[in-house]
Amino acid sequence: MNSFAAQFREQSLRLTRDLRHRLLIQTALGKYETQRDQRKAAFQDWQSAREAAAEIRWDASNHLDTQLRDFVSRIEARGTIVHWASTAAQARDIILGIVRDNKARSIIKSKAMTAEEIHLNDALEKAGFEVVESDLGEFIVQLRHEPPYHIVFPAMHLTRGEISELFTRELGSAPTSSPEELTMIARRALRKKYLTADVGITGANFAIAETGMISITENEGNARLTAALPKVMISLLGIEKILPRLADLALFLPMPAGAGQALTCYNSLYGGPRQPGESDGPEQFHVVLLDNRRTELLADAEQRDALHCIRCGACLNVCPIFRNVGGHTYGTTYSGPIGSVITPHLRGLQDWKHLSSASSLCGACTEACPVKIDLHHHLLQNRRNSVAQKPARLEKLAYKLFAFVINRPWLYALAKKFARVCQPLHALVKGKRIDPAYGWTQSRDLPNLAPQSFKEWWKERK
Ligand code: SF4
């Protein structure tokens, strides 16, 4: 077992038994669950909306080369500088270069999972820059030196009391249990940072090929301030974020309803730096387009649709595994079902194949996904691919032996008798390290065989 798998196993065993943690997550997600059907009902026909969204995403990914070319030529025409980054390291270097060229000292940042993916904050801080997260949830987890817990709700694992204690310790504020007061404390701390930041870094929800614009949706207005106040704006986005037409936003902006979220309060489009005659906006606008193995996934005809993800979080919210082990256990930027599907592609199949096995294959994720990504089948395909790449010889042998025994009724009956004899002996070591079935019995039950099989019972009754 590699170290990532061992860590996942250790964390998930611990957190599954932690009833307080489970209650916290299920209470937080329960709120969205109750609102989900109501929000989906705002669509005339939710299933048709999903079909339409999936078709648009297929159209975009099947023509990604031309869509990207259109997006780049149109956004460049308004003075935006576009950078292509093949790897995470290249993206970090590009952003560090822009920050250094502008002799920046402080940076304000809005929520961007791509920035988490390339570990941008670490790189900027190591190079001596101050980076402040402006999204409330991200601000909280940054103060705790933690990664986001969920792709949409970064601090959902924390109670008001824990956030209040954190603010008292880090910001010197008075303790409070009022969410409004906690928000105001963060707001006061952040306002100063917006005004002094030299560079603003954002992600993007979509890139519109037809108009050469990026679309950012948010609920706090922090991304708007991040984009509008500093002199330099940098947007980091994956190449898969393309939507063909501006009109497609009418369908995509409300799609997170499938995760129980209301339409976001602030939906902004950015098409370039400040134009002559305009009174606000950045003087420089850089767009960094990140590949980081996305083109490899694009080349995989079977799983290409994993790139259609709009990061709404619906699949995490309904996943029985996520709801029990929580977001940090995955040890990846993208957690839950979508994380388990794409992480092996982005970071190596053999190191991350264990995530594809951490699934009950119930299909709730596929059912919830607003763009109809076939998530649970992709988990199965990852399992198949990992075995094809590196055969599990012992497991194969065990199944061969099982097939050999079960195909010979006399041998099967003998094996059952043998197992019944061994049961009392096994009870002596059950749950101890010397138990040959220790790996199994640590987290699962191994019930005793019935004293009599159905066949024996039938025979006895003639
Ligand atoms: S895979 Fe689907 S449900 Fe999961 S985050 Fe992406 S779009 Fe949402």
Side-chain angles (χ1 to χ4, degrees):
M1 192 185 291
N2 66 50
S3 60
F4 301 117
Q7 197 183 333
F8 180 85
R9 188 189 162 89
E10 188 272 315
Q11 279 266 94
S12 48
L13 278 173
R14 188 170 57 75
L15 286 178
T16 315
R17 293 181 190 134
D18 183 341
L19 297 183
R20 182 189 163 274
H21 174 261
R22 278 169 60 176
L23 184 69
L24 210 65
I25 301 313
Q26 294 188 11
T27 310
L29 290 177
K31 284 183 205 149
Y32 287 92
E33 223 160 69
T34 47
Q35 290 164 355
R36 197 176 50 208
D37 291 343
Q38 190 190 341
R39 300 232 152 106
K40 284 198 293 199
F43 284 78
Q44 231 170 26
D45 181 343
W46 174 247
Q47 292 308 332
S48 304
R50 288 177 79 212
E51 292 283 351
E55 268 180 38
I56 294 170
R57 294 300 280 146
W58 272 113
D59 180 27
S61 64
N62 286 340
H63 303 98
L64 195 59
D65 51 347
T66 51
Q67 303 274 336
L68 277 169
R69 198 186 55 211
D70 290 350
F71 166 74
V72 170
S73 63
R74 285 169 185 150
I75 202 165
E76 278 182 341
R78 283 188 294 269
T80 305
I81 304 164
V82 176
H83 309 259
W84 296 86
S86 303
T87 61
Q90 260 185 26
R92 287 192 299 265
D93 288 347
I94 290 167
I95 294 172
L96 274 167
I98 300 168
V99 173
R100 284 195 184 112
D101 288 350
N102 283 283
K103 300 191 174 38
R105 300 175 77 84
S106 65
I107 298 160
I108 189 100
K109 203 178 140 281
S110 66
K111 191 171 180 309
M113 291 310 288
T114 35
E116 298 290 335
E117 180 186 328
I118 67 165
H119 303 290
L120 182 61
N121 285 10
D122 287 349
L124 288 167
E125 280 165 2
K126 265 190 204 135
F129 300 103
E130 186 202 26
V131 192
V132 180
E133 292 286 350
S134 60
D135 172 272
L136 179 59
E138 292 277 348
F139 178 67
I140 293 167
V141 293
Q142 187 185 28
L143 288 179
R144 285 171 60 93
H145 308 288
E146 267 180 2
Y149 188 89
H150 182 288
I151 58 179
V152 181
F153 320 115
M156 68 175 284
H157 58 305
L158 300 173
T159 61
R160 290 177 211 176
E162 286 168 326
I163 297 168
S164 169
E165 269 173 37
L166 176 76
F167 283 180
T168 305
R169 194 171 63 240
E170 299 291 329
L171 306 174
S173 58
T176 174
S177 61
S178 151
E180 289 77 15
E181 276 178 40
L182 288 169
T183 310
M184 288 313 290
I185 294 165
R187 188 177 170 166
R188 276 194 293 275
L190 284 169
R191 284 289 143 137
K192 293 179 213 145
K193 301 289 178 186
Y194 288 118
L195 297 173
T196 52
D198 307 297
V199 172
I201 300 181
T202 74
N205 295 83
F206 302 105
I208 315 296
E210 181 188 44
T211 54
M213 289 171 172
I214 63 160
S215 158
I216 300 179
T217 71
E218 42 140 358
N219 274 319
E220 297 168 21
N222 63 304
R224 278 194 178 177
L225 291 174
T226 301
L229 295 180
K231 280 197 276 192
V232 180
M233 173 180 174
I234 305 172
S235 294
L236 171 67
L237 52 144
I239 53 170
E240 80 286 7
K241 294 281 178 181
I242 288 282
L243 281 184
R245 293 159 297 268
L246 188 64
D248 296 332
L249 287 179
L251 175 62
F252 278 87
L253 293 183
M255 274 326 247
Q261 296 168 52
L263 181 64
T264 42
C265 303
Y266 299 97
N267 299 294
S268 313
L269 287 162
Y270 299 92
R274 185 187 304 183
Q275 302 294 304
E278 286 181 351
S279 57
D280 60 6
E283 288 168 18
Q284 274 178 46
F285 181 29
H286 297 262
V287 166
V288 182
L289 290 168
L290 178 71
D291 181 340
N292 206 21
R293 301 179 87 167
R294 283 164 172 78
T295 38
E296 286 174 36
L297 185 50
L298 187 70
D300 183 337
E302 203 172 49
Q303 296 198 30
R304 173 182 296 177
D305 63 334
L307 286 174
H308 298 173
C309 175
I310 58 169
R311 310 276 187 258
C312 70
C315 57
L316 282 67
N317 299 354
V318 296
C319 175
I321 307 301
F322 182 91
R323 293 170 73 108
N324 280 287
V325 306
H328 286 157
T329 302
Y330 289 78
T332 59
T333 305
Y334 306 105
S335 56
I338 185 63
S340 301
V341 168
I342 62 172
T343 306
H345 288 274
L346 302 182
R347 297 180 65 182
L349 180 58
Q350 289 309 321
D351 280 345
W352 296 96
K353 63 181 180 188
H354 57 280
L355 295 184
S356 306
S357 299
S359 166
S360 63
L361 298 178
C362 64
C365 48
T366 305
E367 189 56 39
C369 179
V371 288
K372 298 193 79 172
I373 301 174
D374 199 354
L375 290 156
H376 69 295
H377 280 110
H378 292 336
L379 292 173
L380 270 176
Q381 286 154 355
N382 278 353
R383 292 184 194 183
R384 180 204 60 199
N385 295 347
S386 75
V387 174
Q389 205 179 69
K390 197 172 170 194
R393 292 208 171 77
L394 265 180
E395 204 174 324
K396 203 170 172 184
L397 190 69
Y399 278 113
K400 271 197 171 160
L401 195 65
F402 178 69
F404 183 82
V405 173
I406 204 146
N407 278 316
R408 288 161 183 80
W410 65 270
L411 191 56
Y412 181 64
L414 198 69
K416 265 193 314 190
K417 278 192 183 134
F418 181 69
R420 279 202 199 103
V421 172
C422 291
Q423 256 170 201
L425 294 174
H426 181 242
L428 298 174
V429 293
K430 199 169 172 179
K432 297 185 184 145
R433 284 217 172 263
I434 49 165
D435 178 1
Y438 181 70
W440 178 272
T441 54
Q442 246 189 325
S443 55
R444 304 176 191 89
D445 194 17
L446 187 62
N448 283 338
L449 291 174
Q452 192 180 33
S453 71
F454 174 75
K455 209 170 163 185
E456 287 160 350
W457 175 81
W458 188 258
K459 210 168 163 184
E460 198 179 279
R461 309 193 99 208
K462 305 200 168 54

